[in-house]
Amino acid sequence: MQSLINSYRPMFSLRYTPLIHKLIFQYRPHFPPSHQFSSSQIQNSNEINLTNYKDWLSPNEIIKIFQNLKDPNSALIVLIQISKRKDYKPNEAIYSTVVKNLATAKNFDAIETLLEKIKNERKCRLSDEFFYNVIKIYGNLAGRINKVIDTLFDMPNYKCWPSVKTFNFVLNLLVNTKQFDVVGEVYIRGRELGVEIDACCLNIIVKGLCRCGEIDAAYKVFDEFPKQNCQPNVRTFSTIMHALCEHGRVDEALSLLERMEKEEVEPDAIVFNTLISGLRKQKRADEGIEILKKVMLKGCDPNPGTYQEVLYTFLDAKRFMEAKDFMAVMFDKRMNPSFESYKLIIHGLCDGKFLGDLDWVLKQMVRHGFVPRMGMWRKILGCLFPDGDCCTTCSYDEILAD
């Protein structure tokens, strides 16, 4: 696998640099002994002084305080105040609530400060689920990819080891954000975290390699599956097939279908849609139609995308009468062609002067909720009244642009 990872260019430093924050707190006289806090009392962190609060405060009551904060940005200040109480016993539920408040306020620096506080105090052991949620916040909400990686590799310092779910989330996030030069390094360093590589992890590597154009390297990942006691699944094949078809290597994609059969991996509708689309782009209409027949024989249920790809295959080949008949099949299956399909077939039927078929398609179009636009009406009128001066000037490009 090392040779595959070399296709990525590690350029990312994984050093953790804690952010230093200076917090200034102003304390006011404490509330009278009572377990009840009104919304007006806790809406501002400066109005909460629990340092000298005499009654015992349970963890559930602490969580309720954070849940009722009107200003979620004050959650960290309130936590520091509460942590000075002798009866304060931190737990993951409290920290999770504080993190949720800070994420709502988009105060991501304060989340970093909180994590440093937790690590230094060592009063509470956190679970993988806690860090999974923090990493999601950094990645999906904050867009701080550096912090995602730092947090993942800092987890052992909290006496917590990431699950394969958390590790795979980070890998997938890196691929989706096109951090291809980092994916390989993170994958290799996963051994430091004791992560057991699974098929999902390898599929993410395949997706990353395909997206950065390293299709041949993605092929080689097939050899890595048995080494990790894994087996390629339908997602592995469909990802590589899609990349091959995008690069015009359709025959290689078709050969992978044969390999799937030999390895007893059942293809799904996505696989067939990918192959039909690839064949359509190479103007190999009949082969795409044969793929649909193969889908039916294998007992795999085609989805709307399958039928739409076959319809486009007929339209691209200018086989408009067959396209019209296939539309009827789609209607029987309760599937409606796209607006683009209607535009293309109407244009083709007009050019062929198939007025009866044109009338049928137009009625179906309106029946299924689509309204012909001006360019289409001009084309239709030009077909009905070929001697009209104003109706014959609508070109193919105009109707597609309409």
Side-chain angles (χ1 to χ4, degrees):
M1 191 65 185
Q2 181 66 46
S3 62
L4 301 182
I5 303 305
N6 290 336
S7 59
Y8 294 112
R9 294 175 290 103
M11 299 168 56
F12 195 87
S13 176
L14 297 171
R15 294 192 296 269
Y16 185 87
T17 306
L19 191 64
I20 300 175
H21 293 273
K22 294 182 180 180
L23 298 176
I24 301 175
F25 305 104
Q26 296 177 351
Y27 297 100
R28 296 185 179 182
H30 63 82
F31 295 142
S34 170
H35 286 294
Q36 303 298 322
F37 292 88
S38 67
S39 297
S40 61
Q41 287 174 315
I42 64 177
Q43 63 181 330
N44 189 309
S45 61
N46 289 335
E47 295 178 0
I48 303 175
N49 184 353
L50 300 171
T51 305
N52 299 318
Y53 192 83
K54 302 302 180 183
D55 287 359
W56 180 74
L57 200 59
S58 71
N60 287 339
E61 288 174 311
I62 294 175
I63 290 174
K64 189 174 181 180
I65 289 174
F66 288 112
Q67 290 174 339
N68 290 331
L69 283 175
K70 285 191 174 180
D71 179 14
N73 199 37
S74 64
L76 183 59
I77 298 176
V78 174
L79 176 67
I80 293 175
Q81 290 179 317
I82 293 176
S83 65
K84 295 187 178 185
R85 295 174 52 86
K86 293 183 179 180
D87 59 359
Y88 171 67
K89 295 188 180 300
N91 60 36
E92 183 174 315
I94 293 174
Y95 288 138
S96 295
T97 307
V98 174
V99 168
K100 183 178 180 181
N101 278 341
L102 295 175
T104 300
K106 296 186 177 180
N107 190 347
F108 309 114
D109 290 340
I111 295 178
E112 293 182 36
T113 302
L114 173 62
L115 291 177
E116 281 298 298
K117 173 181 169 63
I118 295 171
K119 182 164 58 176
N120 293 332
E121 291 178 349
R122 297 183 177 276
K123 293 181 179 179
C124 174
R125 190 165 185 171
L126 301 173
S127 70
D128 169 76
E129 189 66 23
F130 173 85
F131 286 101
Y132 177 78
N133 290 328
V134 171
I135 286 172
K136 282 183 66 176
I137 290 169
Y138 280 144
N140 295 341
L141 191 59
R144 297 187 176 187
I145 307 302
N146 294 17
K147 288 305 302 176
V148 167
I149 300 172
D150 289 343
T151 303
L152 175 70
F153 287 99
D154 201 34
M155 286 175 63
N157 293 324
Y158 297 83
K159 296 183 178 181
C160 178
W161 298 88
S163 65
V164 67
K165 169 188 171 183
T166 301
F167 185 73
N168 287 348
F169 176 84
V170 174
L171 280 183
N172 196 51
L173 180 68
L174 293 174
V175 170
N176 289 339
T177 54
K178 300 182 179 180
Q179 306 287 324
F180 301 124
D181 55 344
V182 189
V183 176
E185 184 177 347
V186 172
Y187 175 81
I188 290 296
R189 291 192 61 193
R191 299 171 184 173
E192 301 173 16
L193 303 173
V195 175
E196 293 185 7
I197 302 302
D198 62 359
C200 178
C201 178
L202 293 175
N203 283 343
I204 294 169
I205 296 297
V206 168
K207 180 169 71 170
L209 290 168
C210 288
R211 287 193 178 181
C212 66
E214 297 290 342
I215 304 177
D216 293 329
Y219 255 122
K220 295 179 182 178
V221 179
F222 279 119
D223 300 329
E224 189 70 15
F225 276 86
K227 296 177 184 178
Q228 302 294 341
N229 295 318
C230 300
Q231 181 179 0
N233 55 30
V234 64
R235 196 59 51 236
T236 316
F237 285 95
S238 65
T239 301
I240 298 179
M241 284 176 172
H242 178 77
L244 289 169
C245 289
E246 286 292 309
H247 288 78
R249 297 163 62 177
V250 180
D251 289 327
E252 293 177 67
L254 291 170
S255 68
L256 280 182
L257 184 61
E258 298 176 2
R259 179 170 177 171
M260 291 180 71
E261 295 174 353
K262 292 178 181 178
E263 297 187 12
E264 298 182 346
V265 179
E266 289 294 329
D268 60 8
I270 295 175
V271 168
F272 291 116
N273 293 358
T274 299
L275 294 175
I276 294 171
S277 177
L279 290 167
R280 176 171 69 88
K281 291 175 182 177
Q282 291 197 341
K283 303 186 184 305
R284 296 161 65 176
D286 291 328
E287 292 178 70
I289 295 164
E290 286 300 316
I291 289 288
L292 177 63
K293 295 178 181 178
K294 197 168 189 176
V295 175
M296 307 297 289
L297 290 174
K298 284 185 170 292
C300 176
D301 291 330
N303 61 23
T306 313
Y307 284 95
Q308 186 62 66
E309 283 297 335
V310 174
L311 179 58
Y312 279 136
T313 297
F314 284 122
L315 293 171
D316 288 353
K318 301 188 183 302
R319 293 157 63 171
F320 299 109
M321 294 304 296
E322 292 175 82
K324 178 249 182 182
D325 293 337
F326 192 75
M327 272 189 169
V329 174
M330 293 181 68
F331 296 142
D332 290 339
K333 299 286 185 180
R334 298 183 181 277
M335 298 178 188
N336 192 21
S338 67
F339 183 76
E340 181 75 9
S341 302
Y342 282 113
K343 289 199 298 182
L344 291 171
I345 195 170
I346 286 175
H347 184 278
L349 293 174
C350 285
D351 285 346
K353 308 298 181 183
F354 300 113
L355 300 183
D357 299 292
L358 175 62
D359 177 66
W360 181 86
V361 171
L362 189 60
K363 288 179 179 177
Q364 294 297 327
M365 181 180 185
V366 175
R367 182 177 299 169
H368 289 88
F370 292 113
V371 178
R373 296 175 183 172
M374 183 58 67
M376 297 175 70
W377 282 122
R378 290 177 63 193
K379 185 65 181 181
I380 293 169
L381 292 174
C383 176
L384 296 174
F385 306 100
D387 296 331
D389 295 332
C390 63
C391 297
T392 57
T393 59
C394 183
S395 68
Y396 182 72
D397 291 335
E398 287 177 317
I399 194 169
L400 290 180
D402 184 37

